Amino acid sequence: MGSSSTSSKDDFSVLVLASDLGIDARPFLTHQEPEDSWYDCTSDPPPSEEQDFAHLDSLQFLRLESGSDKLGNRIFRIVGKYFPAQVISAERLKKYVFNKICTELPEGPFCIVYMHSTVQKEDNNPGLTILRWIYEELPSDHKDRLQAVYFVHPGLRSRLVLATLGRFFLSGGLYWKVKYVSRLQYLWDDIKKGELEIPEFVQKHDEILEHRPLTDYGIEPDPLHLSQMPPSAYSIGRHDTGWASRQYMS
């Protein structure tokens, strides 16, 4: 038949998707751009890559401090409260961390000071699995150069999670580098004052913990803050002679 001689370039295919299977058809119907390839730490990142992270730099949740700990390790400061976990994907976070380490960190050993003060799990926590994934993707040289992770103001939940699941989700090298620091005064045993900037809210949180130490263990001894209320001008008391009247009693 004449129609059978039609060129093969005119052939087409039909893809039928059942609408009641809950399948998103867009990946099948639209052209997918290849994912961005990540650069190696041995090469310089594209200029556009640095500009792309400018808004993340402005949040100040991860930055290289000018000082070092008492062993000479340069300090990377992480403020958990500043990290917007709900709006940054895991891949985006990984690229940012790699960019900071590969472009700003000088040669030699370094440490991390992580401030967990007032962190909310839903808003500021990327998850232990994601943190492990990022760490495992680091070049072995950078893993070896990381000497310590100072975990400032760890809550009861964080301690329990790391104590029970830390050995499974964190590699052995990283797990044993974590050092819990319940108060800033203990941080000064390893880092001199002035070597890194402490946010004001972290200092205030440290003062609260100092006056209410049970908060470290998830216990709030005065949830209504009744101890901070001014004393009443009048009261009713019972003396040895019987019930004593007060100014408002007839």
Side-chain angles (χ1 to χ4, degrees):
M1 299 177 61
S3 58
S4 61
S5 63
T6 304
S7 175
S8 60
K9 67 179 180 179
D10 295 331
D11 294 343
F12 64 93
S13 60
V14 177
L15 178 63
V16 180
L17 296 176
S19 61
D20 58 345
L21 295 181
I23 300 177
D24 186 0
R26 288 175 295 180
F28 299 97
L29 303 178
T30 58
H31 175 67
Q32 298 294 309
E33 296 292 338
E35 295 184 358
D36 296 334
S37 57
W38 184 240
Y39 57 85
D40 193 334
C41 282
T42 58
S43 61
D44 294 330
S48 60
E49 197 73 21
E50 297 180 3
Q51 299 176 4
D52 197 27
F53 293 128
H55 67 289
L56 293 181
D57 283 333
S58 65
L59 298 177
Q60 295 289 301
F61 69 86
L62 172 64
R63 79 177 194 185
L64 179 67
E65 297 287 324
S66 59
S68 306
D69 67 5
K70 292 184 178 180
L71 296 177
N73 304 314
R74 286 296 300 272
I75 301 173
F76 250 120
R77 189 195 73 172
I78 301 177
V79 182
K81 186 65 176 179
Y82 293 163
F83 177 66
Q86 294 183 345
V87 297
I88 298 181
S89 66
E91 184 66 26
R92 179 75 169 165
L93 176 61
K94 172 191 169 184
K95 289 184 177 182
Y96 180 63
V97 170
F98 272 51
N99 179 74
K100 296 287 284 186
I101 291 178
C102 297
T103 61
E104 297 184 10
L105 185 65
E107 292 295 329
F110 70 100
C111 64
I112 293 176
V113 177
Y114 169 62
M115 301 179 184
H116 192 66
S117 319
T118 70
V119 164
Q120 301 296 321
K121 180 178 182 297
E122 298 79 9
D123 300 328
N124 314 119
N125 190 357
L128 191 62
T129 304
I130 294 177
L131 295 178
R132 176 185 182 275
W133 170 60
I134 294 176
Y135 176 79
E136 294 298 337
E137 290 292 317
L138 285 175
S140 58
D141 174 63
H142 288 75
K143 294 179 185 178
D144 296 337
R145 291 164 58 190
L146 176 59
Q147 301 300 307
V149 178
Y150 300 100
F151 197 132
V152 181
H153 293 155
L156 177 63
R157 180 187 181 91
S158 301
R159 288 178 179 270
L160 291 176
V161 169
L162 290 179
T164 56
L165 303 177
R167 296 188 184 186
F168 299 99
F169 284 93
L170 301 179
S171 62
L174 178 61
Y175 178 80
W176 296 111
K177 294 177 182 179
V178 177
K179 181 176 182 178
Y180 298 108
V181 183
S182 59
R183 298 289 187 278
L184 290 178
Q185 64 177 351
Y186 303 132
L187 182 64
W188 310 140
D189 293 339
D190 298 289
I191 302 175
K192 293 182 179 180
K193 290 185 178 181
E195 293 295 312
L196 80 160
E197 181 180 347
I198 306 295
E200 184 178 356
F201 82 92
V202 175
Q203 300 180 38
K204 291 183 177 180
H205 183 71
D206 192 76
E207 294 175 359
I208 293 175
L209 295 178
E210 189 66 26
H211 291 87
R212 300 205 297 268
L214 291 179
T215 307
D216 284 338
Y217 306 98
I219 302 175
E220 175 55 76
D222 186 18
L224 300 179
H225 306 290
L226 298 178
S227 61
Q228 301 178 10
M229 296 180 62
S232 176
Y234 306 104
S235 62
I236 299 179
R238 187 177 188 276
H239 300 275
D240 294 338
T241 56
W243 289 99
S245 61
R246 290 294 184 263
Q247 191 170 345
Y248 52 79
M249 297 178 63
S250 55

